[in-house]
């Protein structure tokens, strides 16, 4: 069962989606489980705030685009009528990987948009 209702906004570095009939705790568990399977380290900062991180920042600085490093923050905010707004913010620009690294971040953000639309 998908809880996704609609995409509220997608701009450079931000995805905002609306969900219905799911609690903050359940959404946190779904996101954590889904992204840990994909190799992300999920840091739960309580109250619907998560950090998704994949790869090594040090390796990215040393090897550039030859290694991956993604970092995104997720905020889950309850709304009216049993709705949730989930915002995904890009936390790394990819500049340490040059133009290739920046394109890798954009591509990963598009992939995340698809994943979050299927929750």
């Amino acid at each position: 069962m998908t809880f996704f209702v609609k995409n509220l906004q997608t701009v450079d570095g931000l995805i905002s989606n609306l969900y219905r009939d799911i609690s903050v705790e359940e959404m946190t568990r779904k996101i954590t489980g889904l992204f840990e399977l994909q190799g992300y380290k999920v840091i739960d900062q309580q109250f619907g705030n998560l950090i998704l991180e994949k790869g090594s920042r040090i390796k990215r600085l040393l090897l550039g685009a030859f290694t991956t490093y993604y970092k995104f923050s997720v905020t889950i905010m309850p709304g009216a009528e049993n709705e949730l707004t989930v915002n995904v913010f890009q936390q790394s620009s990819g500049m340490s990987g040059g133009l290739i690294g920046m394109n890798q971040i954009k591509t990963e953000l598009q992939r995340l948009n698809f994943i979050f639309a299927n929750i």
Side-chain angles (χ1 to χ4, degrees), residues 37-118:
L37 287 174
Q38 296 183 32
Y40 276 88
K41 182 172 83 171
V42 181
I43 304 163
D44 188 353
Q45 298 182 320
Q46 303 298 322
F47 309 111
N49 294 318
L50 302 169
I51 300 290
L52 306 175
E53 191 171 27
K54 184 176 187 177
S56 169
R57 175 85 174 132
I58 305 287
K59 286 182 183 177
R60 181 62 163 218
L61 289 171
L62 293 174
L63 301 173
F66 296 109
T67 187
T68 60
Y69 177 71
Y70 305 120
K71 186 174 182 181
F72 300 96
S73 65
V74 178
T75 58
I76 304 169
M77 298 176 295
E81 300 177 23
N82 205 18
E83 294 179 340
L84 288 179
T85 302
V86 177
N87 296 315
V88 181
F89 300 98
Q90 173 184 322
Q91 294 296 315
S92 65
S93 66
M95 288 189 69
S96 57
L99 289 175
I100 295 170
M102 291 170 63
N103 283 331
Q104 288 173 342
I105 294 287
K106 285 183 182 180
T107 303
E108 184 67 5
L109 193 61
Q110 290 171 350
R111 192 179 78 82
L112 291 182
N113 193 13
F114 178 76
I115 291 171
F116 274 95
N118 289 302

